[in-house]
Amino acid sequence: MIPPRAVLQRATDPAWLALALAHFGEVLIDHAHCEKKAAAHALSLLSSYPEVPGLPRAMARLAREESGHLAQVLLLLDKRGLTLGRDPGDPYAQGLHKLLRNPRPQRLLDLLLISALIEERSRERLQLLADHLDDPELRSFYARLADSEAGHGELFVRLAKRLDRDHAQERLEQLARAEGELIARLPIRAAMH
Ligand SMILES: [Fe+2]
Ligand SMILES: [Fe+2]
């Protein structure tokens, strides 16, 4: 069976890749913040929805994996003499957050599906970096990370479908359209999103 995936409605603008390659240090710092937020988000879902079957263990494993990514990116920062600094915030994640509905079951469905879309957008961009960076070590590092984020995207779609088999797909398509509009509207930055 083909694993369920969130399908992006709009490909990343090629101008993003040019900017990211030209300011790779900035992208790396932002990437570390993204991995940190991914780990924290997994633990926050675990702590907000402990009663949902399968969710706590899946989120515990995810948090461990994202923390592993964070540690690896932090090592790359150290090697380049770069400092993490404070997180300036991410207009992409903030824009997606506004799409959340409030009643508890719908909110969880939306959180899972938005998480799937963020993972999928990250996968797309990590793969672009894997395909276009010069350093062979970085290329294979980003290719491995892209595969891992693809798995996370599938995990979130699976959890969403288990939660609400009847509505998950339709809501995923709505949110994917909104994500595509958001990514087209936001200014391009030397950052993961
Ligand atoms: Fe990650
Ligand atoms: Fe991830």
Side-chain angles (χ1 to χ4, degrees), residues 35 38 62 66 69 119 122 148-149 152-153 156:
E35 299 291 1
L62 180 61
E66 302 289 22
H69 294 170
E119 295 284 358
S122 305
S148 166
E149 307 308 351
H152 301 166
F156 280 117

Side-chain angles (χ1 to χ4, degrees), residues 62-82:
L62 180 61
R64 185 174 58 194
E65 216 171 299
E66 302 289 22
S67 300
H69 294 170
L70 171 60
Q72 289 171 291
V73 180
L74 289 174
L75 186 63
L76 292 176
L77 289 187
D78 277 354
K79 281 186 183 163
R80 284 168 173 72
L82 296 167

